[in-house]
């Protein structure tokens, strides 16, 4: 894994500590939650959001209606949103609500300074 390139908001990360955290991070569908931050793919890059960069994290539920010849079906997917500097900075998508809830709970446990959910 020495050739894997990880990028934080500040640029390329060269830290062996971050590489080890990525390898040991818990997998949630298409992203990982480690002790130092969250890892996800953004196009072709592997991104790393350290917990001190994230102000708030929450789950957004998206619902889509699909009409077919004989019925109208509803589909749901979920995005885990990360807020920095008052703006939504990044998100990761999944169709598994339970995994997203578990990931958010783990983030809350590992980084109590990150606001979780809706904030007025």
């Amino acid at each position: 894994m020495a050739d894997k390139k990880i990028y934080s908001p500040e640029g390329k990360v060269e830290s062996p500590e971050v590489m080890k955290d990525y390898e040991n991070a818990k997998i949630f569908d298409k992203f990982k939650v480690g002790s130092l931050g969250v890892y996800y793919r953004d196009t072709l890059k592997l991104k790393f959001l350290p917990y001190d960069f994230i102000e708030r994290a929450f789950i957004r539920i998206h619902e889509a209606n699909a009409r077919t010849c004989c019925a109208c079906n509803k589909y749901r997917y979920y995005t885990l949103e990360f807020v920095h500097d008052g703006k939504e900075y990044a998100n990761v998508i999944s169709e598994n609500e339970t995994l997203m809830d578990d990931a958010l709970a783990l983030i809350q446990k590992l980084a109590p300074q990150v606001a979780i959910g809706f904030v007025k």
Side-chain angles (χ1 to χ4, degrees):
M1 286 270 175
D3 60 341
K4 188 167 286 295
K5 296 176 185 171
I6 299 176
Y7 295 88
S8 74
E10 288 80 35
K12 188 175 176 184
V13 177
E14 300 286 342
S15 169
E17 184 181 4
V18 172
M19 292 290 196
K20 186 172 182 168
D21 184 51
Y22 171 75
E23 291 172 3
N24 297 326
K26 185 167 179 169
I27 299 171
F28 292 95
D29 204 7
K30 298 176 184 176
F31 62 100
K32 290 184 170 189
V33 176
S35 59
L36 300 177
V38 178
Y39 304 87
Y40 66 98
R41 286 249 170 233
D42 184 19
T43 59
L44 298 176
K45 290 186 177 180
L46 177 59
K47 296 285 187 121
F48 165 61
L49 290 179
Y51 290 129
D52 59 357
F53 183 81
I54 303 168
E55 292 175 6
R56 182 167 68 101
F58 65 95
I59 296 172
R60 179 172 285 144
I61 301 169
H62 302 269
E63 187 173 290
N65 296 320
R67 288 189 168 199
T68 59
C69 63
C70 56
C72 184
N73 300 316
K74 292 184 180 182
Y75 300 97
R76 285 192 177 143
Y77 63 96
Y78 309 89
T79 54
L80 182 56
E81 306 281 341
F82 299 103
V83 176
H84 172 73
D85 201 21
K87 297 179 182 174
E88 291 177 17
Y89 182 81
N91 64 38
V92 289
I93 189 170
S94 176
E95 293 180 0
N96 190 328
E97 183 179 16
T98 306
L99 273 181
M100 297 299 266
D101 290 338
D102 292 346
L104 197 59
L106 184 58
I107 291 169
Q108 186 174 26
K109 179 182 172 187
L110 296 172
Q113 75 277 10
V114 175
I116 301 295
F118 177 74
V119 177
K120 287 187 180 182

